[in-house]
Amino acid sequence: MIDTESLRDAFGELERHAPDEAAVLTGFRAGVVRRRRRRQLATVTGVAGTVAAVALGVVLAVPGAPGGGTGPATSSAAPAAPDPSVRLELPFTVGVPPAGYRPVEWRIGRDLSDVQYHGSHDGETVVVELSTGPRPPTELLSEEPETIAGRPGKLVRLLPDGAQLELSWQLDDGRWFTVRGPAELLSGLRATAQSLSVRPTPLDPTAGPDFSALPQGYAVAGWLGEGDTLTLATVCPVAKRLFVDCVRVSLRPGTAPGTTQVKSGGDVLDVPVDRTRVVNGVPTWATADGLVVHAQVDPGHWVRVGPAEPVDAADVDLMRAVAAATVSR
């Protein structure tokens, strides 16, 4: 299950650089014009209907694959290396979503992808999850065998009183499905579990930014959405899995703000985001401590880049390079 409070805490750490909507457009237009000639821009809010459809188990007919390169290869060019980035697609399809529940959060990652649904009352949560390996429950109360979609699996009741349970089973390729929710919804959870397939559900490729020009050795390691919004992407080193080496990128509509608010004791202070540097023709702005970078990627969108984990110091040059390589579609 996605820990919403932890997510909000992490965003809170980055929100020390959540500025007012001040206009800081000077110097970006030349780079924008060059980039806009290479790509047809679309609104980032196109993800809204897509996320709802994904959570409802609808397979979207999206031509082509998300991601991709910058253009067709010539006949003399060497074959392109496989893109190590995680595609903007859910690696499974939910045929029968839990009745009476609405999709709230979703994430797509290298090792774990899931969709979380909420019911009408607090605490009513159902999670559908696909992982590369088993995820043993930490609050096991009891376990019994369960046949799911013709495969041997297990039904686990969780502490303290068995009011929550999990259905899990292994696929032929070694991955594991898990459906987690209230015990009173057992029949509905079984129906959802039986309906799952590993047929990917692609999201609209225009919903997320284009990261085809990331710094060498870096790739998109995951996507996160909350409600009907693509919240952020996580960019990590290809050769390492330490989350502390990753950065988070959020593409937002509007104009890059020029100040940020910092909590100091009981006060809230406005701090400028004004350390300017042009990277690959794109102006970027950073705070004095280098923990947040903004860039105006086109007249209608800006990006915010910060560490994936709360830190005292960050690689501001890397964050500027990632910001400059982010292009809205």
Side-chain angles (χ1 to χ4, degrees):
M1 174 185 310
I2 299 174
D3 188 341
T4 305
E5 293 302 320
S6 297
L7 175 63
R8 287 174 179 164
D9 289 343
F11 273 114
E13 187 68 21
L14 294 181
E15 280 299 326
R16 58 195 299 263
H17 301 286
D20 298 329
E21 294 295 325
V24 187
L25 286 171
T26 304
F28 87 93
R29 296 189 182 276
V32 166
V33 170
R34 289 192 295 270
R35 291 151 73 88
R36 291 184 69 199
R37 288 172 183 161
R38 299 197 305 266
R39 294 171 174 87
Q40 180 180 7
L41 301 176
T43 176
V44 71
T45 55
V47 73
T50 303
V51 173
V54 168
L56 291 175
V58 178
V59 179
L60 305 179
V62 179
T70 57
T74 64
S75 58
S76 60
D83 184 357
S85 291
V86 173
R87 291 175 179 265
L88 187 55
E89 65 181 19
L90 207 63
F92 58 86
T93 295
V94 181
V96 180
Y101 282 66
R102 58 186 176 86
V104 175
E105 298 170 351
W106 52 272
R107 58 181 170 176
I108 305 169
R110 290 173 178 168
D111 301 319
L112 172 71
S113 298
D114 62 22
V115 175
Q116 183 176 133
Y117 302 82
H118 284 183
S120 58
H121 299 93
D122 290 343
E124 290 184 342
T125 301
V126 172
V127 178
V128 177
E129 173 184 295
L130 180 63
S131 58
T132 55
R135 292 166 54 82
T138 58
E139 302 175 337
L140 176 64
L141 177 64
S142 66
E143 179 179 316
E144 58 190 84
E146 176 92 7
T147 300
I148 306 168
R151 297 178 180 275
K154 55 187 177 181
L155 188 158
V156 173
R157 299 184 186 276
L158 305 176
L159 291 172
D161 54 7
Q164 295 288 314
L165 56 78
E166 292 182 354
L167 295 167
S168 62
W169 66 103
Q170 187 175 20
L171 306 176
D172 287 339
D173 61 9
R175 292 183 294 175
W176 285 75
F177 265 130
T178 300
V179 178
R180 184 182 309 113
E184 63 188 29
L185 197 64
L186 177 56
S187 61
L189 296 179
R190 282 175 168 152
T192 296
Q194 295 283 350
S195 77
L196 296 179
S197 76
V198 293
R199 180 175 53 189
T201 305
L203 299 177
D204 182 353
T206 66
D210 178 2
F211 287 112
S212 61
L214 284 173
Q216 185 174 4
Y218 283 80
V220 178
W223 305 88
L224 183 84
E226 188 169 357
D228 291 339
T229 304
L230 175 66
T231 305
L232 56 84
T234 301
V235 174
C236 298
V238 174
K240 298 175 67 176
R241 289 181 176 268
L242 296 178
F243 204 50
V244 72
D245 296 325
C246 302
V247 297
R248 280 177 170 162
V249 185
S250 178
L251 177 66
R252 304 181 178 191
T255 301
T259 61
T260 184
Q261 292 185 333
V262 174
K263 292 181 180 180
S264 178
D267 299 325
V268 177
L269 306 177
D270 288 328
V271 176
V273 185
D274 60 356
R275 303 300 173 95
T276 306
R277 181 178 301 171
V278 177
V279 179
N280 297 329
V282 180
T284 64
W285 300 271
T287 52
D289 59 10
L291 290 179
V292 164
V293 169
H294 293 168
Q296 190 78 37
V297 297
D298 67 59
H301 298 92
W302 63 281
V303 293
R304 178 167 133 190
V305 182
E309 292 286 352
V311 293
D312 294 327
D315 187 343
V316 67
D317 292 334
L318 169 65
M319 293 195 300
R320 288 183 188 272
V322 171
T326 305
V327 180
S328 69
R329 300 193 244 199

